[in-house]
Amino acid sequence: MREVQQINRRWRPALMAFFLRRVRNHAEAEDLTQEVFVRMLNSSESEGAPDAYVFQIAANLLTDQARRARVRAGYRETLAGMDGLGVEQVDPYRIAAGRDQLAALAAALNELPERQRTMFTLYRIENMSQEMIGEAFGISKSAVKQQVAKAMAFLMARMRETQ
């Protein structure tokens, strides 16, 4: 505890002045000063040349802060550029809701008769033509169309129930 008080008394005014000249924000300078103290107390190197070491820590903190600010600014710039492209931002709630809907759809698909589920999957997911599906099952294109429509109606009804 005594060591903390000595470090604070000796270095706080110089560090605050150092940071205030560079960041021009008192709260931020205070935070950076406290971070220097934490790093000094957690390091064994501060024993040797404390003057140089203290300001090396301070300079490194400013470099790290500038690097983080550049990354954040680049990210904000990228997001701003996406506004006109129709790209939506990542929303954790929306992702969770989407996963829930996908699970409900998978459960509803499993409720379909196997033949109907297969036809629906081949047509809607695998993008296979109705003619090809009909040939594979030995039925007409219109019969495939009818089975896919029934499956779609069933799935839509199930999805409405889950909402």
Side-chain angles (χ1 to χ4, degrees):
M1 184 67 169
R2 189 164 180 79
E3 184 181 4
V4 174
Q5 290 173 344
Q6 288 174 336
I7 290 173
N8 189 28
R9 209 175 5 245
R10 178 165 183 209
W11 295 108
R12 188 174 190 290
L15 286 169
M16 283 297 292
F18 177 81
F19 287 128
L20 279 171
R21 279 193 302 273
R22 286 156 179 82
V23 297
R24 301 189 192 288
N25 180 321
H26 193 273
E28 198 171 336
E30 186 68 48
D31 288 345
L32 289 166
T33 300
Q34 293 300 318
E35 182 64 27
V36 170
F37 292 162
V38 168
R39 290 186 184 192
M40 283 177 63
L41 291 169
N42 289 334
S43 175
S44 60
E45 292 182 35
S46 61
E47 309 285 322
D51 294 350
Y53 183 69
V54 168
F55 286 99
Q56 183 61 50
I57 292 172
N60 289 345
L61 283 173
L62 286 173
T63 301
D64 291 347
Q65 183 185 39
R67 190 176 303 125
R68 280 191 302 273
R70 278 195 309 273
V71 168
R72 287 182 183 129
Y75 178 71
R76 282 192 297 272
E77 207 172 281
T78 301
L79 285 181
M82 290 181 176
D83 282 345
L85 300 176
V87 176
E88 296 182 29
Q89 294 181 10
V90 177
D91 179 8
Y93 298 109
R94 197 157 168 220
I95 291 170
R99 286 182 180 156
D100 290 345
Q101 287 179 332
L102 192 57
L105 178 62
L109 268 171
N110 286 329
E111 292 179 37
L112 289 171
E114 185 177 341
R115 181 178 163 114
Q116 196 175 54
R117 179 178 56 239
T118 304
M119 287 183 198
F120 178 82
T121 303
L122 289 173
Y123 182 68
R124 289 292 184 178
I125 298 172
E126 300 295 331
N127 293 321
M128 194 176 206
S129 72
Q130 290 176 347
E131 292 88 13
M132 289 179 68
I133 297 169
E135 287 175 18
F137 280 91
I139 59 175
S140 68
K141 174 184 169 184
S142 62
V144 172
K145 191 174 194 174
Q146 185 180 35
Q147 290 297 312
V148 169
K150 284 181 182 180
M152 191 68 168
F154 176 81
L155 293 172
M156 287 175 64
R158 280 285 190 248
M159 295 307 291
R160 277 191 219 108
E161 289 173 8
T162 62
Q163 289 180 353

